[in-house]
Amino acid sequence: MRFSAVSPYNAAAKLRLPEKVVVYDSTLRDGEQMPGVHFTLEQKTSIARKLDEVGVHQIEAGFPAVSESEKAAVKEVASLGLDAEVLCLSRALKQDIDAAVDCDVDMVLLFIATSDLHLRYKLKMTREQVLEKAVEAVDYASAHGLKASMSSEDSTRSDVSFMADMFGRCEHAGAARLGITDTLGCGGPEAVQYIVSSLREKTKLPLSAHLHNDFGLATVNAVAALSAGAEAIATTVGGIGERAGNVSLEQFVMALKHLYKKDIGIKTDGLTDLARTVFEAARLPMPANQPWVGPNAFSHESGIHVAAVLSCPMTYECVNPEEVGNRRRLVLGKHSGTHIVKSRLDEKGVSASQEQICDIVRAIKRAGEEHGRVSDDEFWSIVNDVVGRPAPNPDCVEKKG
Ligand code: MN
């Protein structure tokens, strides 16, 4: 009998996804915009190299207009000779585009807000002025030999027909890509799908989506954007970024691969190492329950789960931990049962009676209720107390001639 590791119903639904899916990772830009996070130049180049190694297609390396050192970092990443294309962010302003030109990037990600709220309180511009600025920026970038993408900031609160108008004019001005942004993460999958599919009808250019996780829907929204005809999705490692963060690279790639059977060529076994590098550089603790790459992503404590995992890992793991470069941890604590104890004793060739094993389990549960996780040292000291000096199993003793 064949067993399915993930629910078969997602793939059965036959979501229509584009032939080509592009990940443009923004760990170095939106990720670094997370309050309190700053990457040094060395950290940026090493993160960029690791992103390239796992096969990310495009790297958004920064926002050159922010500072001279930010600009230097973008320039440096662009000069590394990576397989990934290097992109940078730019307002629809000449001085920003000049900075991008200096960095010698493959494409500039222009943006201008399109929601009436942002027009009134931030840009203090009319819709006509926004259209003019957007077209001017695409023109200017193209004239300087830069491929230009134009995104409408705050798309999920913008009038779709106004965005369509702007995108049409930008396409005419020579833009290479157009992007929607759920800047506040305040659109659900239906909103994202509606906006992308409406704009899909109006332009032939590739569409991108930059999405946030404020309602915890970033990955869902990314899949929704693809299904509506977008082809490029902005991600960040671990989903770091402003406020609640962005689409997590790991979650997005793994959802596409396993739930929707779409392999986009990312080498998933490098994801845990990449996430550790980024969290360390950002001086952020890796959340224990971070999907796929966190220490608990493949940890089991409950006796029922451990017993089943020891018999067949797929019972409580729908992905093999090695596939994402992580590992399985069988943890001792108040939920432990006899199977993990037996398996640990067997590993070391220690024999114990059924009664002694039950005593060991009781002691582990007591310790777990006192202070949570039971360490290896503590486990062996419990074993010592219960069975005396652990006598090696005679079968495991090397026979001396
Ligand atoms: Mn953002």
Side-chain angles (χ1 to χ4, degrees):
M1 192 166 180
R2 270 184 67 82
F3 298 97
S4 179
V6 297
S7 168
Y9 301 116
N10 293 82
K14 295 223 180 339
L15 199 65
R16 269 187 28 240
L17 297 176
E19 196 53 39
K20 182 174 138 196
V21 173
V22 172
V23 168
Y24 72 111
D25 188 89
S26 188
T27 303
L28 297 179
R29 202 279 297 167
D30 207 315
E32 206 205 16
Q33 271 173 241
M34 184 162 178
V37 172
H38 160 68
F39 298 130
T40 64
L41 179 66
E42 289 70 31
Q43 288 170 332
K44 283 188 181 180
T45 55
S46 105
I47 291 169
R49 285 209 168 89
K50 288 197 180 204
L51 286 167
D52 193 48
E53 274 164 30
V54 304
V56 159
H57 314 103
Q58 297 179 336
I59 295 171
E60 185 181 350
F63 190 174
V66 165
S67 71
E68 276 307 312
S69 70
E70 172 95 0
K71 184 174 158 183
V74 173
K75 211 169 178 168
E76 180 72 20
V77 172
S79 74
L80 292 175
L82 306 176
D83 288 333
E85 286 187 301
V86 177
L87 282 42
C88 73
L89 190 68
S90 164
R91 287 171 296 183
L93 293 175
K94 283 186 180 157
Q95 74 255 31
D96 278 28
I97 300 168
D98 286 337
V101 171
D102 286 347
C103 292
D104 204 19
V105 288
D106 296 296
M107 178 156 75
V108 62
L109 301 170
L110 301 165
F111 72 95
I112 192 161
T114 46
S115 69
D116 291 323
L117 181 73
H118 276 225
L119 263 59
R120 178 155 178 189
Y121 292 104
K122 186 181 78 171
L123 295 179
K124 305 189 195 318
M125 284 162 73
T126 65
R127 286 186 176 193
E128 263 316 309
Q129 288 170 316
V130 166
L131 291 176
E132 208 173 294
K133 276 266 176 211
V135 170
E136 259 177 38
V138 172
D139 256 345
Y140 189 77
S142 309
H144 286 76
L146 259 185
K147 267 206 294 184
S149 160
M150 174 57 80
S151 288
S152 55
E153 190 189 7
D154 204 16
S155 302
T156 42
R157 298 189 299 181
S158 299
D159 175 7
V160 171
S161 61
F162 175 55
M163 285 189 285
D165 191 5
M166 183 174 97
F167 281 3
R169 293 186 199 209
C170 289
E171 180 173 6
H172 190 71
R177 184 160 96 187
L178 300 166
I180 71 127
T181 57
D182 187 17
T183 310
L184 275 89
C186 63
E190 293 78 11
V192 169
Q193 209 150 23
Y194 168 70
I195 294 166
V196 174
S197 55
S198 304
L199 296 171
R200 184 65 291 164
E201 286 170 19
K202 310 277 185 192
T203 171
K204 290 189 182 59
L205 292 180
L207 292 174
S208 68
H210 173 99
L211 308 157
H212 277 272
N213 202 35
D214 297 69
F215 282 93
L217 292 170
T219 307
V220 179
N221 286 349
V223 175
L226 291 180
S227 74
E231 71 158 49
I233 301 292
T235 63
T236 61
V237 174
I240 66 167
E242 294 200 274
R243 302 183 316 282
N246 295 71
V247 177
S248 138
L249 171 68
E250 314 83 70
Q251 291 170 37
F252 175 64
V253 168
M254 293 300 281
L256 284 190
K257 182 174 173 186
H258 287 278
L259 303 184
Y260 304 103
K261 310 301 175 202
K262 177 104 193 152
D263 192 326
I264 59 169
I266 301 293
K267 296 183 195 93
T268 56
D269 59 356
L271 290 173
T272 299
D273 175 55
L274 173 63
R276 284 195 193 128
T277 303
V278 168
F279 278 84
E280 202 185 302
R283 293 184 298 267
L284 293 167
M286 167 89 74
N289 62 343
Q290 188 76 21
W292 309 124
V293 297
N296 277 4
F298 300 93
S299 290
H300 312 281
E301 181 187 309
S302 141
I304 299 162
H305 290 215
V306 169
V309 165
L310 288 171
S311 146
C312 168
M314 217 167 91
T315 51
Y316 285 99
E317 290 172 359
C318 59
V319 166
N320 189 317
E322 278 121 52
E323 186 181 323
V324 287
N326 206 338
R327 65 181 180 88
R328 178 176 307 129
R329 294 168 177 85
L330 300 180
V331 177
L332 293 162
K334 72 170 269 195
H335 305 100
S336 289
T338 55
H339 284 81
I340 187 169
V341 171
K342 266 195 209 133
S343 129
R344 293 231 169 160
L345 295 181
D346 284 350
E347 262 171 40
K348 296 277 183 209
V350 175
S351 54
S353 67
Q354 191 55 36
E355 210 174 302
Q356 286 173 322
I357 289 175
C358 289
D359 285 347
I360 295 170
V361 170
R362 266 193 292 273
I364 291 171
K365 283 177 182 291
R366 259 199 313 275
E369 277 174 348
E370 258 171 44
H371 58 261
R373 189 173 284 209
V374 175
S375 71
D376 267 11
D377 286 351
E378 216 176 333
F379 170 72
W380 288 110
S381 118
I382 290 170
V383 172
N384 249 317
D385 289 348
V386 174
V387 299
R389 266 177 72 82
N393 185 328
D395 294 338
C396 296
V397 175
E398 243 184 292
K399 299 250 173 1
K400 294 209 173 102

